[in-house]
Amino acid sequence: MTTVDRRSLWARFRLQGALRRSRVELLAALQGAGSVTFIRSWGNIGDELIYAGTRQLLAGVPHAEVSVRDVDEVEGELGVLSGGGAWCEPFHEVLPAALPRIEERFERVVVFPSSFDPRVEAVREALRATRSRVFAREPEFYTLIRGLCDAELAHDCAFFFDYHPYRRPGSGLLLAFRTDAESTLDRLPEGNLHISVTCADLDEWLRTIAAHEEVHTDRAHVMLAAAMLGKRVRYRSSAGALAHMTWRARAVRGSTSAQELVEGGEIAFVEMDYPPKHVARAADTIEISKGNHAVSGVPGPIEETAALVCLHAPLRSRAVLAAKAATASRVHEEDPDPGIAWQTKRWGRLAAEGRLDEEWAANSQAHGTLDVRGTSRPLTFDTTLRDVVKPWLSLPQRLRGWLLVSR
């Protein structure tokens, strides 16, 4: 058995255990109810996958089902509001306003696993006022809302859908990037098929994914379904997602300076032993240097600690690299010292030489490695962050080449 196979099996084992725990938590929230009403929202076909998974989760629970549009016509003991992403900026118009109406009609309400952005006023105020039990579908969203309401954490209900009838070998590449308000692409790739809008129903949507060998997408549920169907997946974060750092380069330390190692092509820029950052309480006397690498005028004790970890990602996209390179001439004019802001000046030289693609490859992971001038250098999967990584990014079975692009 290869190392990849062992990792794959371990990831499957962890996922199965996590799903069992989520199933228990969600069903436990319904206990004691004499009547249950499943209240579905509406959206694209990715949302239909959530509803289908919820129906399978509730298969052993007698319940009725209604649309949120018809909630004023029903009432009962327990209302279960479907999960989804409609608690974030692009599509928050319906559910925050609907939740108080639902609570008027039902003695108890449970909001199934969803994404939440409490920076949106309507979302924040709805959560502050609710008496419902609210499930977040990702740990970072749980962290954001747990001080606002009775919050719990569980997996997205799309995980409870039975994908086995759709499993089949596929061929070719499916480009399935979104075209709505959550898209972060400047230009759609040629041949893009926004299947969450163009497919007639969930069956066609799943069969379209199943017919391909590899899927590139920025839709979370296309990614989830493709992974569960055993496809190779590349995923780009959309506007409704938070950025994730899932791979970490080991810092290379030694007597040779980081600048010399990077300039000499021995390591990638992201492997350098980065200068420490400082965290300080605000005060009138504080002065913070460029990059937050030094602080003076602190009216109190200064301590070194390993209890805080700074997850710094200076190169978050190819566009960011190009933008930094474009400032090289201005940076050089401000300070010609080759040791000051050397990385920006270097990127300017590489851009002039037409070598930024080579630099991006050296600082971008592919299958858990960096390509530094033709030499493969391994990365580590960041186990210290495993609790904030999207659960389905741990999915195995030919899931490769995780592509996480920050907003």
Side-chain angles (χ1 to χ4, degrees), residues 42-353:
W42 69 86
N44 57 58
I45 297 179
D47 294 286
E48 294 294 333
L49 181 65
I50 298 175
Y51 310 152
T54 303
R55 293 182 190 108
Q56 294 186 9
L57 173 68
L58 298 178
V61 179
H63 65 279
E65 179 175 335
V66 298
S67 168
V68 70
R69 293 184 175 97
D70 301 321
V71 72
D72 291 330
E73 301 174 10
V74 296
E75 59 183 14
E77 185 175 349
L78 175 62
V80 176
L81 181 57
S82 62
W87 296 87
C88 297
E89 176 61 36
F91 305 109
H92 71 279
E93 294 84 0
V94 176
L95 294 187
L99 185 58
R101 290 169 37 223
I102 295 171
E103 290 183 328
E104 290 175 359
R105 311 296 297 179
F106 293 90
E107 297 175 25
R108 285 196 291 143
V109 177
V110 177
V111 180
F112 265 16
S114 302
S115 299
F116 299 91
D117 186 354
R119 294 172 299 181
V120 179
E121 182 179 3
V123 174
R124 182 175 64 254
E125 294 308 313
L127 294 176
R128 278 179 174 166
T130 188
R131 56 179 173 79
S132 304
R133 176 168 294 183
V134 180
F135 283 89
R137 62 185 180 184
E138 297 177 35
E140 60 266 45
F141 293 125
Y142 169 71
T143 300
L144 290 173
I145 70 170
R146 64 183 178 184
L148 299 174
C149 59
D150 179 10
E152 300 288 350
L153 177 66
H155 276 61
D156 189 298
C157 285
F159 278 105
F160 301 111
F161 182 77
D162 181 9
Y163 295 88
H164 288 90
Y166 291 92
R167 283 184 175 271
R168 51 161 288 190
S171 62
L173 171 64
L174 172 62
L175 299 172
F177 291 94
R178 64 196 313 150
T179 58
D180 58 21
E182 290 194 65
S183 175
T184 58
L185 292 174
D186 296 326
R187 184 178 60 196
L188 290 171
E190 186 176 351
N192 184 65
L193 186 61
H194 192 184
I195 62 172
S196 294
V197 172
T198 59
C199 287
D201 53 30
L202 181 60
D203 180 73
E204 181 186 353
W205 187 84
L206 287 165
R207 291 185 186 281
T208 301
I209 296 172
H212 293 81
E213 182 180 17
E214 184 168 344
V215 177
H216 296 184
T217 186
D218 56 359
R219 297 210 71 111
H221 288 90
V222 174
M223 172 186 67
L224 189 155
M228 297 295 279
L229 290 169
K231 310 302 177 181
R232 290 196 301 269
V233 182
R234 288 195 175 188
Y235 177 70
R236 174 188 175 101
S237 294
S238 64
L242 302 180
H244 299 279
M245 183 183 293
T246 55
W247 293 98
R248 181 182 292 182
R250 295 185 180 90
V252 176
R253 300 178 173 89
S255 56
T256 306
S257 72
Q259 180 179 354
E260 290 178 278
L261 292 171
V262 174
E263 296 271 17
E266 295 184 47
I267 65 171
F269 172 74
V270 295
E271 294 181 284
M272 63 179 253
D273 188 11
Y274 208 77
K277 296 275 190 179
H278 293 75
V279 179
R281 293 184 182 278
D284 293 340
T285 56
I286 278 184
E287 293 186 9
I288 301 174
S289 71
K290 274 188 177 181
N292 203 29
H293 297 308
V295 177
S296 61
V298 179
I302 298 175
E303 300 179 11
E304 290 190 8
T305 178
L308 299 176
V309 179
C310 177
L311 301 174
H312 183 51
L315 296 177
R316 295 178 287 278
S317 69
R318 174 65 170 76
V320 168
L321 175 60
K324 287 178 179 288
T327 67
S329 58
R330 175 179 57 80
V331 170
H332 187 271
E333 288 177 5
E334 292 176 355
D335 195 332
D337 185 335
I340 302 298
W342 61 268
Q343 62 270 44
T344 301
K345 296 169 185 175
R346 172 173 173 269
W347 290 327
R349 294 195 303 271
L350 293 177
E353 297 167 5

